[in-house]
Amino acid sequence: MNSGLPAGLGPAARAYLDAFPKGDVVAFPIHPLDRLGLPVWVVALFPEDAALGGIMPYGVGYGATDEAAVLGGLGEIAEMVWPTLTLGERAKTRGSYAELVRSLGARSVADPLTLGLPAGSPVGWDTVLEWVEARRWADGSTVLVPIDLAAYSSKELSPGYRPFTTIISNGMGAGPDMYWAIGHGLCEILQRDGNGLLFRALDQGVTLDLDIPLPATTRAILERFDAAGIRAMPKFATDQYGLPNLYCVGVDERETPAAPIMVTGCGEACHADRAAALDKCLTEYAASRARKAFAHGPADLAATVAPDGYVERFMAQAGGAAKSSDPRAFDAMRDWTGRDAATLRGWLGNNVLSERSRHAFSALPSAPAPDGHARAAAARAAVERAGFDILYVDMSPADRAVSVVKVIVPGMEVETMSYYRIGTRNTEKLLAMDSPLIRFGDETADLRRIRLPAGDADRLGHPLFDTAAADRLVGPLYPLYREPEAHHVAHRAGRSVEAMA
């Protein structure tokens, strides 16, 4: 049963709906929670398949139209459903990297020391792990990767298996075909690899100077912000590999938002076309505001846009999703939701909302990439030209009605400031920044050895990552890095708008 979906959805949306396992699809707009009016929709699947017990498949989509927003939400559902239904049933290979290399060859096994292990991790070439089959995008050859990185949630793991890092969804991609889906996941990895040490608590304060005429679509979005009294602040992270990597935050200048947490919204983008990157980070910022209010704001605020009984049904289904496994995220978000907007904005003043320098929009590289295939081609060319190997784990349904993958790029790094995952690239970046996060000497409980390939470890002097310093830098901003599952904090607290007044 489908309820709330807009009429006249196109073939892309219909393909997702037809591919989903049996269940009720519930959709509704949440942008009325904000005053921007840019489309933001929640789409949820309440599945009948017992294999999805504890997984609450839902997505928050956004875009220029309601259909674009719904399509984005459907894609996120696909990224949650199919890993459990495919990877969870797939055979795993158990063994150490050293053993597997002896039998299969080094090119057929991903080296864990190139996969961004947490600092201080005991994992090495002789550690027994569980591995699943991935493919190399360049030539289709088979590569074994640790399931620790391939999985979307704990449901895909063998009973009793403990992953070497917290499971994350970064790198998931969905689309009408494999090329589109891999490109989607790759751009997400590029986005976070590029901005991970340059925004949030480590924000460099580089705002974009929109110094050239902008497309009509971009002007229309900016006019919405102006009319709503919200100062959008698009910012520059990097243009490494010729791909603009941007993000957007903002300030409510005339009104207090419906929920204080909305002041912490942020949108990100990595796209070959600089105008498309700007549009995406602006619209994702708008979506972030509404999403945070709905997912983590007062329960009776969410009830103003959700169908009757939706949150209760959501809570009954949810449980094993990737974002549910981080107690630090839950505790930090619980603290946030008791704070007023002025306090939260004060925490952001010297980092997220800082403005220290400007970068000309006209100076960004730009190349046309009008659809998902073109975007994928541009990202692939840039990454392979830089010498990286793009791997993907195919989690698509058997009938290939849609494509779903998890992309893994050895050498690219995410979650350094949350889960202390760090390898050669982020070590070199932090050294170049003269960061206090990199230390040398003897290991302690807080100073943890960065797990690097032997040659890089020798070249860089066997560096340590200062986890205590990382925690001090992040301070109260941890929910900018990791959020708990939607509605859990409000549900636990029984909070309402009146209680927040």
Side-chain angles (χ1 to χ4, degrees):
M1 181 181 74
N2 298 335
S3 65
L5 289 167
L9 291 174
R14 300 308 318 177
Y16 279 122
L17 290 166
D18 292 343
F20 289 158
K22 289 182 180 180
D24 293 344
V25 174
V26 178
F28 51 94
I30 63 170
H31 51 264
L33 294 174
D34 202 3
R35 55 190 190 274
L36 278 165
L38 290 165
V40 186
W41 280 67
V42 166
V43 188
L45 169 67
F46 293 95
E48 297 178 9
D49 193 331
L52 292 168
I55 295 290
M56 179 58 243
Y58 77 101
V60 180
Y62 57 91
T65 65
D66 287 336
E67 178 164 5
V70 167
L71 185 60
L74 292 170
E76 290 193 349
I77 291 175
E79 293 173 8
M80 296 182 76
V81 165
W82 293 111
T84 296
L85 295 182
T86 60
L87 189 62
E89 299 301 316
R90 193 171 300 172
K92 285 88 174 176
T93 299
R94 193 170 184 87
S96 71
Y97 172 77
E99 291 169 340
L100 293 172
V101 166
R102 282 195 293 270
S103 60
L104 301 174
R107 196 169 185 272
S108 297
V109 191
D111 182 349
L113 295 176
T114 67
L115 300 177
L117 294 173
S121 171
V123 171
W125 285 2
D126 294 320
T127 305
V128 174
L129 302 172
E130 286 198 345
W131 307 74
V132 293
E133 182 180 285
R135 296 279 177 180
R136 182 173 281 109
W137 203 9
D139 59 15
S141 56
T142 299
V143 185
L144 291 181
V145 298
I147 196 169
D148 314 55
L149 302 185
Y152 183 91
S153 82
S154 58
K155 289 185 72 68
E156 287 103 69
L157 306 179
S158 297
Y161 184 78
R162 299 190 64 176
F164 58 67
T165 187
T166 306
I167 294 171
I168 61 172
S169 59
N170 186 262
M172 289 299 306
D177 55 56
M178 191 65 66
Y179 202 95
W180 187 300
I182 300 171
H184 180 172
L186 176 60
C187 285
E188 188 174 272
I189 289 175
L190 281 167
Q191 185 174 282
R192 290 293 173 87
D193 175 80
N195 67 26
L197 298 178
L198 298 172
F199 79 151
R200 296 175 175 164
L202 300 179
D203 198 299
Q204 302 297 292
V206 184
T207 56
L208 272 183
D209 181 6
L210 303 179
D211 59 336
I212 55 176
L214 300 172
T217 54
T218 310
R219 293 199 307 272
I221 297 168
L222 290 170
E223 287 166 4
R224 291 231 190 198
F225 280 101
D226 290 341
I230 301 168
R231 182 164 68 93
M233 299 169 58
K235 304 180 87 170
F236 171 77
T238 182
D239 55 10
Q240 194 172 34
Y241 314 125
L243 300 171
N245 192 321
L246 311 177
Y247 59 104
C248 182
V249 294
V251 176
D252 292 78
E253 296 188 312
R254 293 203 304 262
E255 300 177 35
T256 301
I261 196 173
M262 295 168 74
V263 306
T264 69
C266 179
E268 306 169 51
C270 182
H271 201 294
D273 184 326
R274 63 190 175 197
L278 181 56
D279 282 2
K280 181 181 181 294
C281 74
L282 288 166
T283 53
E284 189 174 272
Y285 167 56
S288 175
R289 290 170 57 91
R291 179 189 61 76
K292 288 190 174 191
F294 179 72
H296 306 300
D300 55 358
L301 182 64
T304 65
V305 292
D308 289 345
Y310 169 82
V311 173
E312 290 75 14
R313 195 177 181 189
F314 182 104
M315 292 297 298
Q317 175 69 27
K323 294 179 182 178
S324 300
S325 56
D326 185 345
R328 182 181 174 191
F330 182 91
D331 291 342
M333 183 63 78
R334 180 168 52 188
D335 178 59
W336 266 27
T337 56
R339 306 287 183 165
D340 60 23
T343 299
L344 294 174
R345 195 161 42 237
W347 288 343
L348 305 177
N350 292 325
N351 38 70
V352 172
L353 300 179
S354 64
E355 298 178 89
R356 300 185 182 96
S357 63
R358 301 187 71 81
H359 189 96
F361 185 68
S362 61
L364 294 174
S366 191
D371 60 23
H373 293 125
R375 184 186 183 204
R380 176 182 185 176
V383 169
E384 291 183 342
R385 191 163 51 242
F388 290 96
D389 223 2
I390 304 167
L391 312 178
Y392 65 92
V393 181
D394 185 2
M395 305 181 193
S396 307
D399 62 5
R400 301 284 167 176
V402 294
S403 293
V404 179
V405 301
K406 180 76 170 286
V407 177
I408 299 166
V409 183
M412 290 198 171
E413 302 178 33
V414 298
E415 301 301 339
T416 294
M417 298 303 290
S418 54
Y419 301 146
Y420 316 138
R421 289 180 56 185
I422 182 168
T424 301
R425 277 165 55 74
N426 277 2
T427 300
E428 290 177 332
K429 289 178 184 179
L430 290 170
L431 284 169
M433 296 162 64
D434 196 25
S435 171
L437 294 171
I438 301 298
R439 303 275 296 278
F440 296 91
D442 296 328
E443 283 190 270
T444 67
D446 294 330
L447 298 177
R448 303 181 191 177
R449 185 72 60 199
I450 298 174
R451 303 304 316 281
L452 303 174
D456 290 340
D458 292 340
R459 175 173 58 84
L460 296 174
H462 299 274
L464 307 168
F465 185 72
D466 191 334
T467 60
D471 291 347
R472 288 194 298 271
L473 282 168
V474 171
L477 302 184
Y478 191 75
L480 294 180
Y481 292 89
R482 309 302 303 170
E483 295 181 21
E485 183 63 277
H487 309 303
H488 281 52
V489 171
H491 190 269
R492 177 84 62 87
R495 289 179 301 107
S496 66
V497 171
E498 288 76 14
M500 294 288 290

